[in-house]
Amino acid sequence: MPHIVVDYSDTLSAAFDRRDFGLALNPLVAGLLEASIDTCKTRFRRIEEACIADGSPDHAMVHIELAILSGRTPEAKRDLSRAVLDLARNHVPVPADTTLTLTVDVTELDSECYSKQVLTSQS
């Protein structure tokens, strides 16, 4: 926790530095949630095909989903969503003649049902 998934249009693949964004995103999220950065797990998924708005190829999107443990106030989740949106705005370039839509959704993992185990190799 948190689990972060970043879906992005394939038209952004060349210009969107995903590693740089992830390296900025993880400490931001960890700080706002008062969590260890070691708990942040960010995955990127390229969207090969999407129909955005009228379907024209000059539309692109980035959608960021943050799944966090339950128990945070609505204000804390709103602040997290807005901070992540601001970060994305500064890290995702808008290609020429393109309309880019950035969205963030914060969902909760049920603390009662969430399980985790970290394994390390034995040398």
Side-chain angles (χ1 to χ4, degrees):
M1 189 296 300
H3 292 276
I4 306 165
V5 179
V6 181
D7 292 313
Y8 63 95
S9 296
D10 63 352
T11 55
L12 303 173
S13 293
F16 179 24
D17 186 340
R18 295 169 299 281
R19 180 169 173 74
D20 184 56
F21 179 63
L23 290 173
L25 179 62
N26 288 348
L28 172 74
V29 171
L32 289 170
L33 295 177
E34 298 179 1
S36 168
I37 193 169
D38 294 341
T39 63
C40 293
K41 298 158 211 68
T42 300
R43 294 175 284 153
F44 294 90
R45 299 187 299 202
R46 181 172 50 92
I47 304 168
E48 294 182 23
E49 186 173 351
C51 182
I52 302 167
D54 62 3
S56 69
D58 59 348
H59 290 277
M61 66 175 282
V62 173
H63 178 69
I64 304 163
E65 295 178 16
L66 296 105
I68 63 174
L69 288 176
S70 56
R72 306 250 173 9
T73 66
E75 294 80 18
K77 292 185 283 187
R78 182 197 63 230
D79 292 346
L80 175 63
S81 177
R82 289 179 180 169
V84 170
L85 186 64
D86 287 342
L87 184 72
R89 187 180 309 114
N90 292 315
H91 277 81
V92 181
V94 182
D97 301 318
T98 299
T99 299
L100 174 62
T101 301
L102 301 171
T103 56
V104 178
D105 184 27
V106 177
T107 61
E108 291 188 338
L109 300 165
D110 186 340
S111 299
E112 300 283 326
C113 301
Y114 180 74
S115 298
K116 173 182 173 180
Q117 183 175 21
V118 178
L119 305 174
T120 57
S121 63
Q122 301 294 319
S123 301

